[in-house]
Amino acid sequence: MEYRTNLNQYIELKMIIMKNLLVTFALLAVTVLQAQELSYKLEELTAIDFVTAVEKSSKTAILPIGVFEKHGPHMPLGTDLYTAREMALRAAEKEYTVVFPWYYFSQINEARHQPGTIAYSPEIIWKVLQETLDELNRNGFDKIIIVNGHGGNNAFLEYFGMAQLSEKRNYSLYWFRPAYDREVIKKAVEMTQNDPYDQHAGNRETSMVKAIVPDLVHTERAGLQSGVDLDRINNLKNVYTGIWWYASYPNHYSGDGSKANAEAGELILNSVVDQFVETIRAIKADNNVPELQERFFIEAENPLETEQ
């Protein structure tokens, strides 16, 4: 009997120890989960975490915009997408902001003659962008920052930004436009080469993408096509025409990426990201744009009552 009693006590004690261990492990697991960083990538958030992320971001989201287009003979079609989202992710890591996935509904009619170009109609790119902003706002964001990786979007985004005033919005739209530091660019050139036509898939862009996705950049192919300006409409002065880019760079390649390297690209990226982080902080703290918009929309409803 004494043996059975001792055995039962031993079993009970062991069960208590096991329960305590399980509780301890559960508490540790909860602690670890709580200690983990909340993802700033929208696609990785659960619905529950998304609510927390909206608040943690100060209701601020980043929309990185790129496109699918040729980048010379040596760069991936998604170059602008990689660049824009990398800038956004690096900045969000330093200043928490929710980052939208790759956004590729862009203006790229000038490259429709090249393989791999995905060119949506003007109506579609407008509607998708507007509805994306509306949906982000409906989900709690009242400040949305565009970071654009594609030069062909510049005119479109400027007009789109002005058109935001066509009706009342419940959010403020900001477009981050970095000013490349001359000293940084100078150092990058010293590490690579001087590139007089450096605009698209040239020395600077190739270096940046080598820093982001080195395995997708083939600098040994950069010399297979010319990136020199052909200047085929130099007979027209003081004139704009939509064919201007094709007239100058039919290969959809402007510059020379053959001497690019990741170190130079990292230098440029870090400089831009530092600038972006400061911009995000300024936008989060900004009251001027929302207040001015609110006042503008009120006055726009009753223009005859606007103080003259």
Side-chain angles (χ1 to χ4, degrees):
M1 289 292 293
E2 185 178 347
Y3 171 77
R4 288 182 179 177
T5 301
N6 291 339
L7 180 61
N8 289 337
Q9 290 175 341
Y10 171 77
I11 292 172
E12 288 177 6
L13 180 61
K14 191 172 182 180
M15 290 295 292
I16 291 170
I17 292 172
M18 289 297 294
K19 286 180 180 178
N20 287 337
L21 282 172
L22 287 172
V23 170
T24 301
F25 285 136
L27 290 172
L28 282 172
V30 170
T31 302
V32 169
L33 286 172
Q34 289 176 340
Q36 286 179 346
E37 288 291 330
L38 183 68
S39 178
Y40 40 77
K41 298 178 181 178
L42 188 149
E43 71 273 16
E44 292 183 355
L45 295 166
T46 63
I48 295 172
D49 288 340
F50 179 83
V51 177
T52 305
V54 171
E55 293 305 315
K56 185 175 180 179
S57 69
S58 300
K59 300 183 178 181
T60 306
I62 301 173
L63 184 65
I65 296 181
V67 77
F68 287 116
E69 63 167 337
K70 178 182 176 180
H71 276 75
H74 61 293
M75 300 267 276
L77 295 170
T79 285
D80 296 341
L81 293 164
Y82 282 115
T83 304
R85 194 151 200 252
E86 183 70 12
M87 288 179 182
L89 294 177
R90 291 192 185 198
E93 187 175 10
K94 296 182 178 182
E95 178 63 33
Y96 188 88
T97 315
V98 176
V99 180
F100 199 82
W102 277 16
Y103 186 96
Y104 50 85
F105 305 98
S106 286
Q107 191 297 119
I108 187 57
N109 286 307
E110 65 272 23
R112 290 177 64 243
H113 65 297
Q114 292 289 354
T117 299
I118 305 298
Y120 296 98
S121 69
E123 295 81 9
I124 287 295
I125 65 171
W126 188 284
K127 289 180 179 179
V128 173
L129 182 54
Q130 187 59 68
E131 291 201 13
T132 299
L133 299 181
D134 292 342
E135 282 298 284
L136 285 171
N137 177 239
R138 189 177 67 84
N139 278 279
F141 296 106
D142 55 27
K143 291 181 177 179
I144 304 169
I145 308 169
I146 286 176
V147 54
N148 175 41
H150 172 50
N153 278 334
N154 291 340
F156 162 65
L157 288 175
E158 283 195 358
Y159 182 51
F160 183 88
M162 288 298 297
Q164 292 296 289
L165 302 179
S166 64
E167 61 182 78
K168 191 178 188 308
R169 313 289 176 181
N170 295 318
Y171 60 86
S172 297
L173 180 63
Y174 303 82
W175 176 12
F176 170 61
R177 297 199 280 190
Y180 289 94
D181 188 301
R182 290 184 180 181
E183 289 302 311
V184 170
I185 298 301
K186 182 180 178 182
K187 288 179 183 178
V189 168
E190 290 172 355
M191 297 168 67
T192 52
Q193 65 173 334
N194 182 43
D195 185 357
Y197 300 105
D198 191 5
Q199 292 186 79
H200 181 75
N203 186 51
R204 180 172 60 186
E205 190 171 32
T206 304
S207 292
M208 291 172 70
V209 179
K210 277 186 74 70
I212 299 169
V213 282
D215 294 342
L216 300 183
V217 180
H218 309 281
T219 50
E220 72 280 3
R221 302 179 190 173
L224 295 177
Q225 295 178 355
S226 172
V228 173
D229 186 356
L230 299 185
D231 198 19
R232 293 186 291 183
I233 51 174
N234 59 13
N235 58 307
L236 298 173
K237 306 299 181 185
N238 306 317
V239 172
Y240 173 84
T241 172
I243 202 69
W244 75 273
W245 178 261
Y246 178 80
S248 290
Y249 304 104
N251 291 327
H252 213 59
Y253 178 25
S254 171
D256 179 3
S258 62
K259 301 294 192 302
N261 65 58
E263 291 75 20
E266 196 68 34
L267 189 69
I268 299 169
L269 272 173
N270 288 335
S271 174
V272 172
V273 169
D274 287 344
Q275 188 181 150
F276 194 14
V277 170
E278 292 304 311
T279 301
I280 293 171
R281 289 172 180 159
I283 288 172
K284 285 183 177 182
D286 174 54
N287 292 318
N288 290 340
V289 171
E291 289 176 0
L292 288 169
Q293 279 187 189
E294 183 66 24
R295 179 177 176 180
F296 172 83
F297 289 130
I298 290 172
E299 293 182 346
E301 287 294 320
N302 300 284
L304 296 182
E305 296 180 12
T306 300
E307 183 178 350
Q308 299 298 306

